[in-house]
Amino acid sequence: MKKLKELIEEKGEVLPGDVIKVDCFLNHQIDVDVIDLIGKEFATCFSNLKPTKILTIETSGVAIAQATSLNLEHQKVVFAKKGNHFNMSDDVYASKEKSFTTGIEYSVRVSKEYLDKSDKVLIVDDFLANGEAMESLLDICKQAKAEVVGIGIVIGKMYLPGYERIKKQCNNIEVLAKIKNISDDNTIMWE
Ligand code: 5GP
């Protein structure tokens, strides 16, 4: 997606530890027009698979999942919650994720009420790096016996193990902006 790559180059910042800061349109302030374009792109990629639910992980995945749903069939969006929430029932699918940006291990939960074996799930997220977050969502779908029909990623760090790790479990994976590498002077190189 050319426009997305241009935006990342223009407005993004590479922080130590290969963290790309795109707070101005994706991770803090949300540019709804950009998110809508992302939603349209995912809708084009995955509409033929007829997902019944869009699954993501809080926080930044939520807007992406909503835009995707609005451009598909208005499927319900479910977002996995990180950490312990006192207002969540105990009847949950639970997995674990080691955060790329903080290094902290979180528990990741989805209520059994919102995902089950009748679901055909499209998973979307903002970044794919080592694949921890996506692995936890795949694990939750496995526990629910739900079928994962596709995975949509906005920004993929293709030089890290996540992509290959996840592709082994779901072949139908689309990455809108594929980063081949980040040079020593913090220049982003695209695939
Ligand atoms: P992974 O679990 O694949 O290692 O990393 C993906 C998760 O970490 C995403 O859900 C995203 O929130 C976060 N993440 C990974 N890399 C970056 C990055 O460069 N910038 C930001 N803002 N988040 C990232």
Side-chain angles (χ1 to χ4, degrees):
M1 225 179 128
K2 195 163 168 274
K3 162 115 176 109
L4 181 62
K5 290 180 184 172
E6 285 169 0
L7 255 178
I8 297 166
E9 280 175 356
E10 190 193 334
K11 307 210 161 155
E13 204 185 324
V14 181
L15 303 180
D18 271 9
V19 173
I20 299 167
K21 189 172 174 186
V22 279
D23 279 9
C24 63
F25 68 93
L26 189 62
N27 293 126
H28 191 14
Q29 171 173 266
I30 291 176
D31 183 325
V32 294
D33 293 320
V34 175
I35 302 293
D36 185 49
L37 277 183
I38 291 168
K40 284 192 166 60
E41 193 69 23
F42 283 153
T44 304
C45 295
F46 297 112
S47 62
N48 61 325
L49 302 172
K50 305 264 175 248
T52 61
K53 214 155 265 184
I54 319 287
L55 176 67
T56 188
I57 186 162
E58 66 178 0
T59 306
S60 300
V62 178
I64 298 160
Q66 179 177 352
T68 305
S69 168
L70 285 170
N71 283 286
L72 282 166
E73 307 283 329
H74 293 213
Q75 296 91 334
K76 292 283 191 285
V77 166
V78 178
F79 62 93
K81 296 192 178 194
K82 288 185 198 172
N84 294 319
H85 290 257
F86 71 90
N87 59 347
M88 222 177 154
S89 89
D90 289 338
D91 210 11
V92 294
Y93 307 110
S95 192
K96 282 194 163 42
E97 177 225 349
K98 187 171 178 194
S99 165
F100 184 88
T101 47
T102 64
I104 296 170
E105 192 172 84
Y106 294 98
S107 67
V108 174
R109 292 153 196 249
V110 168
S111 169
K112 289 187 180 172
E113 223 177 315
Y114 303 127
L115 200 63
D116 66 38
K117 62 178 188 307
S118 68
D119 282 313
K120 292 171 77 173
V121 182
L122 170 61
I123 308 179
V124 297
D125 200 10
D126 56 349
F127 279 88
L128 179 64
N130 290 322
E132 285 280 317
M134 196 49 66
E135 186 87 55
S136 71
L137 295 175
L138 287 167
D139 181 28
I140 279 171
C141 288
K142 202 170 166 189
Q143 292 176 44
K145 299 189 171 60
E147 182 191 356
V148 177
V149 294
I151 295 176
I153 301 291
V154 180
I155 304 170
K157 295 175 178 170
M158 309 306 283
Y159 55 96
L160 292 177
Y163 183 78
E164 289 305 323
R165 182 176 170 193
I166 298 306
K167 204 170 165 63
K168 280 185 196 139
Q169 298 177 65
C170 176
N171 202 34
N172 208 350
I173 171 165
E174 294 287 342
V175 181
L176 301 186
K178 291 184 172 175
I179 299 176
K180 189 170 155 192
N181 218 332
I182 298 177
S183 68
D184 293 341
D185 66 355
N186 288 343
T187 306
I188 295 174
M189 282 165 302
W190 303 105
E191 260 196 24

